[in-house]
């Protein structure tokens, strides 16, 4: 196998002699008379190994070594040195050089060191690639609880992956029950703060006074019942992540204090005078329309923009119906094991009912539905009898009834019309539900005169 080797030495005879020897071994050789020229070659060519003298004009071998080790850590560097400067060569090895050769160079030893250095480099690269793959698998495994293959959920996962390693505040929006907390979990566990605290606060569950104390802590005696000093959630989340769920429920007073933390990274405990500093990444979530809240005067616009540096919107289940079978299957496995039952699956009618239901409670409602169905199931397959009445009734409301003997064209027309009505005129969703392309749907709408309906 041919490797690319760079030789850097200000003595022409040495660099050309070493170059010819290595070319005879089948390698491609680059030559440079100065460290500066050598660095240019390293940055512009594919170089597998560098052999460099220590003492050269413009840039010495030590400086060249440090730049290569810093920017190209998988490229081994072999130092050339005279007998009087072996101490410098040893120092270079401590700085990251692979080995050294003394002048005059023993060509047999040169070939041996080159083979060993290149072999070691291949091993280093393989190990790095393996570690990168393991890291990738580990990172993606954080999405295990986030089930979905729909385009909408792929976009959510891509955004999580993109933003996780940054310091940016993230606002997660979406209806109740869509899985906003799972998004927050993934952001933290994929970030470089994953070894630090991850603190969650459900803002809607606490009154204004309790929430302020919970977030920022309090001093002893600051209010009735404050019998000792208490650290707040921001303080506990130092160097980690805090997740503020239902951020739209907090009062103006608490909003001001959160804004200060985001702007200045400072706050005081309730009843305290000492200013505390924290390094916290803020991830928040809401099912409210915060822009409407801003117009109504109940939410601060400046806080909104601090929280909403990156927005991740989690779609409702009715907009990602192709994920329903995956979610139902995962919940079925979970609750079958939990309840000690051997349920093999869900029959076609029950699956259709799950697909057609609108799921106002989203994934939380689907999860509850499958748990209930597992408990109620008497056989090995879940049927419509096992599903909650609300789900089967919702499915009945979306059924299309076509009389026997109707012409195929009329039946197709009625199916398209009913599906368009069911999807409230959304032609993209209609095409997905019918399993046809958008162009085909548009052609049939025009053909059947449904545009006027």
């Amino acid at each position: 196998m041919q490797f690319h080797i760079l030789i850097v030495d200000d003595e022409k005879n040495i660099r050309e002699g070493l170059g010819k020897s290595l070319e005879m071994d089948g390698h491609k050789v680059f030559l440079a008379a100065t460290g500066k020229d050598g660095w240019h070659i390293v940055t512009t060519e594919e170089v597998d190994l560098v052999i460099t003298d220590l003492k050269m004009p413009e840039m010495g071998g030590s400086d060249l070594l440090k730049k290569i080790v810093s920017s190209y850590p998988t490229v081994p560097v072999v130092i050339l040195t005279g007998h009087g400067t072996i101490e410098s060569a040893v120092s270079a090895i401590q700085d990251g050089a692979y080995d050294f050769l003394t002048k005059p160079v023993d060509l047999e030893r040169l070939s041996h060191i080159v083979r060993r250095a290149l072999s070691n480099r291949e091993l280093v690269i393989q190990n790095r690639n393996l570690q990168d793959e393991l890291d990738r698998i580990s990172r993606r495994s954080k999405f295990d609880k986030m089930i979905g293959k729909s385009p909408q959920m792929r976009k959510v996962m891509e955004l999580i992956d993109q933003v996780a390693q940054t310091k940016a505040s993230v606002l997660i929006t979406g209806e109740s029950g869509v899985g906003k907390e799972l998004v927050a979990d993934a952001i933290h566990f994929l970030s470089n703060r994953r070894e630090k605290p991850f603190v969650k606060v459900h803002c809607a569950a606490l009154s204004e006074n309790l929430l302020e104390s919970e977030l920022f802590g309090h001093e002893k005696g600051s209010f009735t019942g404050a019998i000792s000093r208490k650290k707040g959630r921001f303080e506990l989340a130092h160097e980690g992540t805090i997740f503020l769920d239902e951020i739209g429920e907090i009062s103006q007073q608490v909003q001001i204090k959160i804004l200060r933390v985001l702007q200045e990274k400072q706050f005081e405990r309730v009843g305290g005078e000492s200013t505390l500093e924290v390094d916290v990444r803020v991830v928040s979530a809401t099912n409210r329309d915060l822009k409407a809240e801003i117009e109504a005067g109940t939410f601060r616009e400046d806080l909104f923009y601090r929280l909403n540096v990156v927005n991740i919107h989690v779609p409702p289940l009715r907009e990602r119906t192709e994920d329903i079978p995956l979610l139902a299957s995962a919940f079925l496995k979970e609750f079958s094991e939990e309840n000690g039952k051997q349920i093999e699956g869900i029959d076609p009618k029950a699956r259709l009912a799950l697909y057609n239901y609108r799921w106002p409670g989203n994934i939380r409602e689907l999860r509850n539905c499958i748990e209930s169905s597992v408990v109620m199931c008497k056989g090995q397959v879940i049927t419509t009898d096992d599903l909650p009445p609300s789900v089967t009734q919702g499915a009945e409301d979306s059924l299309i009834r076509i009389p026997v003997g109707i012409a195929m064209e009329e039946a197709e027309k009625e199916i398209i019309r009913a599906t368009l009505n069911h999807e409230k005129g959304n032609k993209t969703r209609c095409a997905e539900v019918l399993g046809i392309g958008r162009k085909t749907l548009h052609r049939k709408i025009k053909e059947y005169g449904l545009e006027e309906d």
Side-chain angles (χ1 to χ4, degrees):
M1 182 176 179
Q2 185 187 63
F3 289 94
H4 297 180
I5 300 175
L6 168 62
I7 301 171
V8 189
D9 198 305
D10 58 339
E11 296 184 49
K12 181 179 179 181
N13 292 339
I14 292 178
R15 68 174 180 269
E16 289 185 352
L18 295 178
K20 288 180 181 178
S21 176
L22 292 171
E23 284 176 345
M24 290 177 65
D25 287 341
H27 302 300
K28 180 177 180 179
V29 175
F30 300 103
L31 301 177
T34 67
K36 184 177 180 180
D37 291 342
W39 176 244
H40 177 73
I41 292 173
V42 169
T43 59
T44 57
E45 301 286 348
E46 184 179 341
V47 176
D48 299 308
L49 171 68
V50 177
I51 300 173
T52 180
D53 192 16
L54 278 177
K55 294 185 177 180
M56 295 178 294
E58 295 188 42
M59 180 191 292
S62 295
D63 290 335
L64 178 60
L65 167 67
K66 290 174 183 177
K67 290 173 78 70
I68 293 172
V69 169
S70 175
S71 301
Y72 302 92
T74 62
V75 177
V77 179
V78 176
I79 298 297
L80 291 174
T81 182
H83 286 289
T85 57
I86 290 180
E87 288 184 4
S88 298
V90 172
S91 176
I93 289 176
Q94 292 173 343
D95 288 337
Y98 177 76
D99 207 336
F100 70 92
L101 286 162
T102 56
K103 299 177 182 179
V105 177
D106 181 330
L107 296 182
E108 186 175 339
R109 175 168 166 73
L110 169 68
S111 295
H112 174 70
I113 288 179
V114 167
R115 285 196 302 271
R116 188 156 48 87
L118 291 170
S119 177
N120 182 73
R121 178 176 187 261
E122 290 296 297
L123 183 61
V124 169
I125 291 174
Q126 288 175 14
N127 287 339
R128 278 177 174 254
N129 290 340
L130 178 59
Q131 188 59 51
D132 288 345
E133 180 65 14
L134 291 174
D135 289 345
R136 186 189 67 79
I137 293 171
S138 176
R139 283 168 59 80
R140 298 309 300 176
S141 70
K142 301 304 180 184
F143 290 136
D144 280 351
K145 293 182 179 180
M146 295 182 61
I147 299 168
K149 63 177 183 179
S150 63
Q152 297 94 323
M153 285 308 297
R154 286 201 299 269
K155 182 179 179 181
V156 168
M157 293 178 186
E158 287 170 3
L159 280 171
I160 292 171
D161 226 356
Q162 187 174 355
V163 76
Q165 292 288 323
T166 72
K167 295 181 179 180
S169 298
V170 180
L171 177 63
I172 307 165
T173 56
E175 297 177 7
S176 179
V178 294
K180 297 186 291 293
E181 186 173 342
L182 292 180
V183 174
D185 290 342
I187 290 171
H188 174 72
F189 287 113
L190 291 175
S191 75
N192 52 16
R193 296 173 180 253
R194 57 185 168 274
E195 302 299 329
K196 300 296 182 178
F198 182 36
V199 178
K200 300 180 180 181
V201 184
H202 195 293
C203 299
L206 300 168
S207 66
E208 179 181 332
N209 291 337
L210 286 176
L211 179 60
E212 187 175 0
S213 171
E214 194 70 24
L215 290 174
F216 306 107
H218 61 252
E219 296 292 346
K220 180 180 179 180
S222 58
F223 55 85
T224 303
I227 58 176
S228 62
R229 170 186 286 179
K230 177 185 175 181
K231 290 184 177 181
R233 299 296 184 93
F234 272 102
E235 196 172 347
L236 295 172
H238 180 58
E239 296 184 337
T241 305
I242 190 168
F243 174 49
L244 304 177
D245 196 10
E246 299 305 340
I247 190 73
E249 307 294 331
I250 63 177
S251 68
Q252 291 272 354
Q253 181 179 340
V254 177
Q255 288 177 39
I256 292 171
K257 297 195 74 169
I258 292 176
L259 179 62
R260 185 184 172 204
V261 176
L262 288 167
Q263 289 178 332
E264 304 173 16
K265 302 185 183 301
Q266 294 180 339
F267 67 93
E268 289 83 34
R269 297 191 187 101
V270 176
E273 297 180 354
S274 300
T275 298
L276 305 177
E277 294 191 359
V278 288
D279 172 18
V280 177
R281 201 251 184 99
V282 177
V283 177
S284 53
T286 184
N287 58 14
R288 288 179 176 244
D289 181 349
L290 292 187
K291 289 187 176 180
E293 300 289 328
I294 291 169
E295 291 181 5
T298 57
F299 201 86
R300 294 181 63 95
E301 187 174 21
D302 46 5
L303 176 58
F304 171 76
Y305 287 117
R306 284 286 182 175
L307 295 171
N308 194 43
V309 175
V310 176
N311 174 250
I312 297 179
H313 180 72
V314 186
L317 193 53
R318 64 182 174 275
E319 292 180 7
R320 44 179 287 222
T321 50
E322 55 264 63
D323 293 333
I324 290 174
L326 294 174
L327 290 160
S329 178
F331 296 149
L332 179 63
K333 182 176 184 296
E334 176 186 347
F335 292 120
S336 294
E337 293 175 355
E338 188 176 295
N339 290 279
K341 290 193 171 185
Q342 292 184 334
I343 299 178
E344 296 177 356
I346 303 171
D347 79 7
K349 285 187 178 180
R351 284 202 303 272
L352 183 62
L354 294 176
Y355 187 85
N356 285 331
Y357 184 57
R358 300 296 289 173
W359 300 108
N362 292 295
I363 296 173
R364 187 182 292 124
E365 184 182 6
L366 174 61
R367 180 184 174 86
N368 182 73
C369 167
I370 298 300
E371 182 177 15
S372 171
S373 300
V374 168
V375 171
M376 298 303 295
C377 183
K378 296 178 181 179
Q380 293 183 310
V381 176
I382 288 176
T383 68
T384 52
D385 293 336
D386 303 316
L387 297 177
S390 59
V391 174
T392 53
Q393 180 60 46
E396 285 293 327
D397 291 343
S398 63
L399 288 178
I400 301 171
R401 291 176 172 81
I402 298 175
V404 175
I406 192 173
M408 287 295 294
E409 287 187 357
E410 284 298 317
E412 185 177 60
K413 178 180 178 179
E414 185 56 36
I415 290 170
I416 293 174
R417 187 206 311 274
T419 307
L420 276 170
N421 290 336
H422 186 264
E423 299 301 330
K424 298 180 179 179
N426 187 325
K427 294 176 183 176
T428 299
R429 285 286 307 122
C430 182
E432 289 175 357
V433 171
L434 294 173
I436 60 178
R438 289 183 62 184
K439 288 184 178 179
T440 301
L441 176 64
H442 281 284
R443 177 172 55 79
K444 288 186 177 293
I445 288 173
K446 186 175 181 180
E447 180 182 330
Y448 294 134
L450 295 175
E451 292 174 311
E452 301 174 358
D453 286 7

